[in-house]
């Protein structure tokens, strides 16, 4: 995130009378979230260049993305409990230090397997950072209206990273090579660490860490993604694919059993009986399936099918990403006047219509036009979606809320890359249409659920 944007966020907080420590917390959380999202989007544009440089096939490129998102998704829930237990500020600092070091490892990687390993380390660190950053914001802003504005500003950091990621990734890849994308995290990490060190200490809570639940969650998601990617490259009747998918089914069943029997489960299953919580998690899953899955396949489409260079590919994503930050901040103003149900409903409806239109479009101009509502709608819906989830749970469980929400989102992104990569490995045009149909259907289901559950206050 640029220095101007950070100053603007701090200036907004200052005008609203927020004390200085809270402004520092918001700035640190904002920058940390920005780094996490930037590495998730900038790499997509560089995939063909990385594949050419390190001799990677489509399956290897899928793992470059999912090597980050799988541990990110699987560890997020426990990371939220760890943030509550050890203190959000301390956990955020630990995760940021590891993330920065892993970024250096990515930039220096001599082979594809080394790069994937460093991406796994990045994903683990990002899982620790993200719920801690949201917990920091929740703890720093106790008054509901101020908290809603702070969450919107925090969301804008991710939205700005998503908007800047493809363009910045394309520019850096063309000008200095794909390794520069990862080296950019080094100075950004140092600045964020300095800000976080000045924030006040976070309170601690005796939050349990569920070892059995965490182990089965990691095993289940990793095996599922491995099975899908392996099935796409070797066939779903291959021994590796069948064994991985079998392990995934057993691990998921083991997760449900472990959580139902644990005295203090990682994911209290009773929470999922709440309609508000269930809809928020479903919607977060659908949003990332649509956004990250389509970003993956369109990056390949623009470069491999249309023959566009990385810089142009990054610019082609601007209609989808360019309005995310503006839409995120505008949603907070609408929510303050009309309630959070309205931005959520309007944003999901616009995104669903844009994604559905993409199914029937093949010209580049048509795709660019449809990407505008598809992306801006998500930016308009996300701040209210985050607020509604936090508001449906006690403040003491902010870490768990952040972990659950972002775990559902990252799981959606990881599965989308795995599944959509398989779909386009045959006929690219047919696979792209199927991916768009899946995304539009999930968003439509989330929109219907939001209209049914979230009503005017």
């Amino acid at each position: 995130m640029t220095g101007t944007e950070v100053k603007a966020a701090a200036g907004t907080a200052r005008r609203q009378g927020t004390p200085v420590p809270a402004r520092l917390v918001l700035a640190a959380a904002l920058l940390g979230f920005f780094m996490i999202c930037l590495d998730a989007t900038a790499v997509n544009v560089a995939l063909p260049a990385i594949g050419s440089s390190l001799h990677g096939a489509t399956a290897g490129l899928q793992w470059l993305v999912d090597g980050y998102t799988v541990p990110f998704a699987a560890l997020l829930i426990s990371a939220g409990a760890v943030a509550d237990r050890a203190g959000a500020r301390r956990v955020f600092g630990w995760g940021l230090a590891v993330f920065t070091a892993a970024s250096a490892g990515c930039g220096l990687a001599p082979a594809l397997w080394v790069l994937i390993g460093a991406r796994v380390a990045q994903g683990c660190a990002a899982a620790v950072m993200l719920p801690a950053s949201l917990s920091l914001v929740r703890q720093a802003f106790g008054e509901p209206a101020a908290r809603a504005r702070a969450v919107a500003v925090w969301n804008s950091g991710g939205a700005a990273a998503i908007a800047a990621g493809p363009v910045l990734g394309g520019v850096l890849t063309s000008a200095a090579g794909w390794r520069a994308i990862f080296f950019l995290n080094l100075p950004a990490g140092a600045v964020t660490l300095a800000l976080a060190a000045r924030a006040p200490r976070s309170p601690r809570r005796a939050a349990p860490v569920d070892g059995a639940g965490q182990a089965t969650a990691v095993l289940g998601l990793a095996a599922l993604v491995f099975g899908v990617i392996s099935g796409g490259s070797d066939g779903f009747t291959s021994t590796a694919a069948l064994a991985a998918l079998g392990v995934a089914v057993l691990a998921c069943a083991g997760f449900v059993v472990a959580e139902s029997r644990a005295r203090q489960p990682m994911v209290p299953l009773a929470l999922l009986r709440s309609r508000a919580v269930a809809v928020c998690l479903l919607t977060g899953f659908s949003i990332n399936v649509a956004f990250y899955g389509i970003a993956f396949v369109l990056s390949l489409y623009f470069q491999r099918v249309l023959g566009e260079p990385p810089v142009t590919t990054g610019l082609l994503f601007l209609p989808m990403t360019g309005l995310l930050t503006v839409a995120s901040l505008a949603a907070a103003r609408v929510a303050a006047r009309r309630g959070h149900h309205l931005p959520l409903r309007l944003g999901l409806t616009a995104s669903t219509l844009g994604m559905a239109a993409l199914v029937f479009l093949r010209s580049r101009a048509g795709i660019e036009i449809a990407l505008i509502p598809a992306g801006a709608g998500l930016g308009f819906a996300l701040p209210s979606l985050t607020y509604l989830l936090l508001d449906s749970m006690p403040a003491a469980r902010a870490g768990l809320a952040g972990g659950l929400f972002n775990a559902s989102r990252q799981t959606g992104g990881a599965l989308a890359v795995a599944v959509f990569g398989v779909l386009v490995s045959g006929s690219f045009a047919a696979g792209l249409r199927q991916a768009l149909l899946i995304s539009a259907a999930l968003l439509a289901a989330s929109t219907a659920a939001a209209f049914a559950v979230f009503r005017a206050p």
Side-chain angles (χ1 to χ4, degrees):
M1 182 166 232
T2 65
T4 301
E5 289 171 317
V6 174
K7 290 178 181 177
T12 300
R14 188 183 302 112
R15 287 191 298 272
Q16 293 162 354
T18 308
V20 172
R23 295 200 304 270
L24 291 176
V25 169
L26 179 57
L30 186 72
L31 283 168
F33 191 29
F34 182 88
M35 292 173 63
I36 291 170
C37 294
L38 185 70
D39 268 48
T41 56
V43 172
N44 279 319
V45 177
L47 289 176
I50 295 174
S52 177
S53 172
L54 301 181
H55 312 290
T58 299
L61 299 182
Q62 286 173 278
W63 276 115
L64 279 178
V65 178
D66 278 349
Y68 183 82
T69 54
V70 166
F72 191 7
L75 295 174
L76 267 172
I77 304 174
S78 284
V82 171
D84 290 342
R85 187 183 185 94
R89 190 191 73 165
R90 176 180 295 181
V91 171
F92 180 77
W94 290 346
L96 182 59
V98 174
F99 187 91
T100 305
S103 298
C106 289
L108 297 171
L112 185 63
W113 68 270
V114 178
L115 178 56
I116 293 173
R119 289 283 286 170
V120 170
Q122 272 192 319
C124 293
V128 171
M129 289 170 59
L130 195 145
S133 71
L134 185 56
S135 186
L136 282 172
V137 174
R138 174 65 180 81
Q139 293 162 9
F141 295 85
E143 196 271 321
R147 184 170 69 247
R149 290 190 293 267
V151 168
V153 173
W154 179 81
N155 265 301
S156 74
I162 292 170
V167 177
L168 188 59
V171 170
L172 290 174
T173 300
S174 296
W178 59 267
R179 298 178 188 273
I181 295 173
F182 301 106
F183 288 139
L184 184 66
N185 288 330
L186 304 186
V191 171
T192 309
L193 275 171
L195 283 172
R198 296 180 60 193
R201 289 187 178 183
S202 300
R204 299 184 185 185
R205 184 176 66 86
V209 177
D210 180 5
Q214 181 61 83
T216 51
V218 171
L219 181 61
L221 183 56
L224 178 59
V225 171
F226 180 86
V228 172
I229 294 177
S230 178
S233 59
D234 302 328
F236 284 94
T237 58
S238 65
T239 302
L242 289 175
L245 293 174
V247 169
V249 171
L250 292 175
C252 290
F255 176 80
V256 173
V257 172
E259 298 308 280
S260 62
R261 294 183 177 179
R263 293 181 59 186
Q264 294 179 309
M266 179 175 71
V267 180
L269 298 181
L271 282 178
L272 303 182
R273 299 191 189 106
S274 165
R275 296 176 68 198
V277 172
V279 169
C280 287
L281 298 183
L282 168 66
T283 304
F285 178 90
S286 303
I287 284 174
N288 270 37
V289 166
F291 192 92
Y292 289 100
I294 296 305
F296 177 79
V297 294
L298 283 183
S299 292
L300 299 178
Y301 176 74
F302 289 147
Q303 295 183 67
R304 290 184 174 179
V305 177
L306 299 184
E308 301 291 353
V311 172
T312 305
T313 298
L315 293 173
L316 288 173
F317 277 106
L318 276 178
M320 185 177 183
T321 62
L323 296 176
L324 283 173
T325 304
V326 176
S328 179
L329 295 175
R333 298 189 182 94
V334 174
R337 297 176 182 175
R338 303 289 301 276
H340 287 275
H341 72 292
L342 186 60
L344 181 62
R345 289 176 170 186
L346 291 178
L348 288 176
T349 300
S351 186
T352 301
L353 293 175
M355 198 65 65
L358 284 171
V359 177
F360 305 101
L361 298 173
R362 284 297 172 266
S363 68
R364 191 168 73 174
I367 291 174
E368 294 297 287
I369 292 172
L371 284 176
I372 295 173
L378 297 182
F380 199 68
L382 265 174
S384 290
L385 181 66
T386 306
Y387 181 87
L388 287 168
L389 177 64
L390 288 174
D391 200 49
S392 66
M393 299 179 70
R397 321 262 351 229
L400 174 61
L404 278 173
F405 181 58
N406 289 291
S408 69
R409 291 185 62 189
Q410 297 307 318
T411 299
L415 290 179
V417 170
V419 173
F420 293 0
V422 171
L423 292 177
V424 300
S425 61
S427 168
F428 201 104
L432 178 60
R433 175 167 291 186
Q434 292 167 355
L436 291 166
L437 280 171
I438 293 171
S439 301
L442 284 173
L443 287 175
S446 297
T447 303
F451 271 87
V453 172
F454 297 114
R455 303 180 183 277

